[in-house]
Amino acid sequence: MMMMIVCVAAVGHQNNPLYLQSFTNADDALKLHHIVHCSLDVIDDRVNNPKKTGLTLNEAFLGLLYPSENYKAYGYLTNTKVKFIFVTTDLDVKDADVRNFFKRFHSAYIDAVSNPFHVPGKKITSKTFAERVSAIVNSFGSNAPV
């Protein structure tokens, strides 16, 4: 299960960024943020046109959203319409690994927003959440700082 994750994001139901973390050098961060932004358009298209895309409304895993020459972006939609996206440099990724990542990321997200000091709809600033996300990313073979 070696998957090089270079960026993860949680985006609110109004496309407001809740959490965005790059695990590469600063030069690539802008490019990765652009890929995340482009992936949001794909998610909106899939959610708003489920018949065209074959997406069922109870399916949280959105699969591959945005393939490029060097990166692939995958998506997941929670029942509260929060979007999770990650970008990887591994161009041969197994769906089971992607689903496992999103399951673990979703669990960390739930714990973070369940904190009574977290303001719903605002950016997640919890250091514990950031450390947990880094640990999850590291477990998939990334170079994320812990």
Side-chain angles (χ1 to χ4, degrees):
M1 176 169 56
M2 291 297 286
M3 177 171 54
M4 181 74 151
I5 297 170
V6 292
C7 184
V8 295
V11 181
H13 68 278
Q14 296 177 324
N15 285 345
N16 52 316
L18 301 175
Y19 182 79
L20 183 61
Q21 179 65 48
S22 297
F23 301 102
T24 64
N25 61 35
D27 295 339
D28 289 340
L30 188 59
K31 185 187 313 180
L32 295 171
H33 293 190
H34 176 74
I35 290 171
V36 168
H37 187 76
C38 291
S39 298
L40 290 173
D41 292 339
V42 176
I43 291 173
D44 288 342
D45 186 48
R46 288 187 186 179
V47 170
N48 294 328
N49 301 304
K51 286 189 172 76
K52 184 175 90 176
T53 60
L55 181 72
T56 58
L57 294 177
N58 60 353
E59 176 63 63
F61 178 64
L62 300 173
L64 180 63
L65 301 174
Y66 188 88
S68 72
E69 193 173 306
N70 300 317
Y71 301 103
K72 281 189 173 182
Y74 290 85
Y76 180 94
L77 184 67
T78 71
N79 57 351
T80 57
K81 305 299 182 230
V82 173
K83 302 158 197 90
F84 297 151
I85 298 168
F86 82 76
V87 181
T88 180
T89 56
D90 186 349
L91 301 180
D92 185 32
V93 178
K94 294 178 178 56
D95 267 2
D97 291 342
V98 176
R99 288 176 188 267
N100 186 20
F101 172 83
F102 282 128
K103 181 178 165 191
R104 293 173 64 192
F105 186 75
H106 194 180
S107 177
Y109 170 81
I110 290 168
D111 289 348
V113 299
S114 297
N115 181 334
F117 298 106
H118 173 73
V119 180
K122 298 293 182 192
K123 287 189 176 185
I124 300 170
T125 57
S126 163
K127 185 177 177 190
T128 304
F129 176 72
E131 289 170 353
R132 190 164 167 195
V133 169
S134 288
I136 293 167
V137 168
N138 276 334
S139 74
F140 282 89
S142 180
N143 59 350
V146 177

